[in-house]
Amino acid sequence: MNRETVEKMGKMRLYGMQAAFNAFVEKPPPVTFTNDEMTEYLVQSEWDDRKHRTVQRNIKIAKFRYIADTAGIDFNPERGLDKNLINRLIACDFIKGGQDVFITGSTGTGKSYIATAIGQQACLLGYKVLYASTSKLLSVLKMAKADGSHLRELSKIERQDILILDDFGIQAFDASGRAMLMDIVEDRHGKRSTIIASQMPVRNWYEVIGEQTVADAILDRLVHKSIRIELKGESLRKIKAESNI
């Protein structure tokens, strides 16, 4: 009877419940469960398993370039990080208000790490995240436009609770890139959060985007409600390399 029950659980894709039931049968606990307690045990096991699988799926879909977590953020005073602000971002309340986050600073100061750590934490809390190099994402959209699938790609981007645009401004935007960026920003404005990591200070983004009218339209939708982090100090990669000499 137990074997048939386990097989039925598997066919119904109740994998958490199946594993918990197997564990219970193979090694019964020292105390006796009531019917209610057994039901709660099995349902909670299934709930936890589904939540874990959702988190792992979200992390895979996010396509993070780096491995990062909030515990690894360096709060050295020389970096100019506000720990209270970072903790608020880690709580992910900014997502509920559709706020955007700008992380700027020189190369190697940890912009991508912080953006990724926040994104990873968002995945753990059940949010959908997409990480992308800005130039690569725009290239993908340009190719999608050529084969007629760009509206589907834009719709996918719009559905993400957080879009992380890394390396923003490394390459100047051409007319097509500006149009794609405008579509992304317009679709997400006031509804979803975007994290932008850039070596360029925000005041230089107008120049990088180009064409004043379009730049004004894009940044007007991003800047006013944004949360800003400006990293200072030397490159962390340089400091680490010197410490290993």
Side-chain angles (χ1 to χ4, degrees):
M1 183 181 295
N2 286 341
R3 184 167 57 251
E4 290 179 2
T5 299
V6 169
E7 289 176 356
K8 288 177 181 177
M9 288 178 179
K11 290 178 180 178
M12 290 188 290
R13 299 183 179 180
L14 299 173
Y15 302 123
M17 191 176 290
Q18 184 185 53
F21 187 81
N22 274 328
F24 183 88
V25 171
E26 292 173 5
K27 190 176 181 181
V31 294
T32 303
F33 277 19
T34 66
N35 290 340
D36 288 346
E37 288 171 337
M38 186 62 179
T39 301
E40 180 184 5
Y41 166 70
L42 292 175
V43 171
Q44 187 63 49
S45 297
E46 180 63 27
W47 179 273
D48 291 342
D49 180 69
R50 291 193 179 196
K51 186 176 181 180
H52 174 73
R53 283 187 281 135
T54 296
V55 167
Q56 294 305 308
R57 183 169 62 251
N58 286 348
I59 290 175
K60 182 178 180 180
I61 293 172
K63 298 180 180 179
F64 294 114
R65 187 195 305 175
Y66 307 100
I67 298 174
D69 62 77
T70 55
I73 296 176
D74 183 358
F75 288 100
N76 187 315
E78 294 181 358
R79 302 187 70 203
L81 269 179
D82 182 339
K83 191 169 185 178
N84 288 327
L85 174 58
I86 295 297
N87 285 336
R88 290 199 298 273
L89 292 174
I90 289 170
C92 292
D93 289 338
F94 71 97
I95 301 173
K96 299 173 185 176
Q99 283 186 283
D100 302 315
V101 180
F102 299 163
I103 307 175
T104 57
S106 302
T107 182
T109 50
K111 302 179 295 298
S112 298
Y113 188 97
I114 292 174
T116 301
I118 295 171
Q120 289 267 13
Q121 181 65 18
C123 286
L124 293 176
L125 294 175
Y127 291 107
K128 292 181 289 185
V129 181
L130 177 63
Y131 171 98
S133 161
T134 304
S135 59
K136 289 182 179 179
L137 179 62
L138 294 179
S139 294
V140 168
L141 289 174
K142 289 175 185 178
M143 288 188 288
K145 190 165 187 176
D147 64 22
S149 63
H150 71 291
L151 291 179
R152 184 170 65 249
E153 291 296 323
L154 286 171
S155 179
K156 182 173 71 174
I157 293 170
E158 182 183 1
R159 291 195 300 269
Q160 306 306 309
D161 297 304
I162 298 180
L163 171 64
I164 300 175
L165 292 177
D166 203 359
D167 295 330
F168 184 90
I170 285 185
Q171 296 180 0
F173 293 84
D174 58 16
S176 177
R178 282 192 292 271
M180 293 294 181
L181 181 62
M182 184 67 212
D183 287 339
I184 292 171
V185 171
E186 180 64 28
D187 288 344
R188 300 179 60 79
H189 176 57
K191 298 182 294 183
R192 300 286 190 270
S193 295
T194 302
I195 298 178
I196 298 179
S198 176
Q199 294 181 28
M200 308 285 291
V202 176
R203 63 180 178 275
N204 291 350
W205 289 5
Y206 287 92
E207 181 181 346
V208 171
I209 295 172
E211 193 173 327
Q212 189 69 33
T213 302
V214 179
D216 282 340
I218 291 171
L219 294 176
D220 182 65
R221 288 162 174 76
L222 289 172
V223 169
H224 300 301
K225 290 177 60 180
S226 65
I227 300 169
R228 303 193 192 188
I229 300 171
E230 185 176 352
L231 295 172
K232 301 175 183 177
E234 289 189 84
S235 166
L236 297 179
R237 288 190 287 269
K238 178 183 176 183
I239 294 172
K240 184 177 180 180
E242 291 176 347
S243 67
N244 293 330
I245 295 177

